[in-house]
Each structure stands twice: as structure tokens, then as C-alpha cells.
Amino acid sequence: MSKQNTPKDPPVNLKEQNASHTFRVTIRDREHFYRIVNWLNGNVGKGEDKWTMEGRVLKSLKSGKPVSPKVYIFKPDFDESASLYLSLL
């Protein structure tokens, strides 16, 4: 009996699939990261069910280089133009 060779489907990113809005933001340093987090908590809401960011941002910032993680917003009534405001913080 031989195994059937079936092509594997690529892994599904559930965060990206369930998010109503997804965008990248470049974070320069630790202060900038905390300003973004405070803004998201105030305007989108606190909690992993409202918004989240990919990767280990603070750990990457420790090495001194800027980071560009994806931000996933799960709130359906989020204004997409606010992502531009986040890049200006």
C-alpha cells in the first residue's frame, strides 16, 4: 500500500482572516510603540478581541532597529483613515 501524495494547503492566518482591517505600521522606538498602543486602546478598545499586533515588537526594538508589524483590528466599525493617523504619531 502506498501513500497518496496530496498537496498541502498553506497555513491559514486566522487573525488576518477574522480581522475587519489589517495594515502595517512602522515603529521607531519604545516610546512610539507605547503611543500607538495607548491610541489603539483608547480608540478601538482594550483586549485581544478588539485589536492585536503580530510578533514580539518590544524584543525586536531592543536590538535598536525599527519594526513594521501588522496590526489586526477586529472591530467592524473602525475608520480606515485612522491608520494614516497612527503612522503620524
Side-chain angles (χ1 to χ4, degrees):
M1 201 163 182
S2 64
K3 277 188 173 181
Q4 288 182 340
N5 289 334
T6 57
K8 289 189 176 183
D9 293 329
V12 177
N13 184 346
L14 290 177
K15 286 181 184 175
E16 194 156 2
Q17 191 177 39
N18 295 333
S20 57
H21 304 285
T22 304
F23 54 90
R24 283 197 180 275
V25 65
T26 302
I27 301 173
R28 296 180 302 269
D29 54 20
R30 191 181 197 118
E31 259 182 52
H32 188 222
F33 171 73
Y34 285 120
R35 272 188 273 151
I36 290 172
V37 169
N38 285 334
W39 189 89
L40 286 167
N41 283 342
N43 292 291
V44 179
K46 288 184 180 181
E48 223 174 279
D49 59 325
K50 306 278 193 300
W51 70 272
T52 189
M53 210 177 278
E54 76 175 353
R56 299 185 178 273
V57 177
L58 286 175
K59 190 172 187 175
S60 301
L61 286 172
K62 254 186 185 174
S63 62
K65 57 185 175 186
V67 185
S68 295
K70 276 188 181 176
V71 177
Y72 302 106
I73 307 285
F74 302 111
K75 198 173 172 185
D77 61 342
F78 179 72
D79 182 17
E80 288 187 45
S81 63
S83 62
L84 176 65
Y85 178 77
L86 277 175
S87 65
L88 299 173
L89 279 177

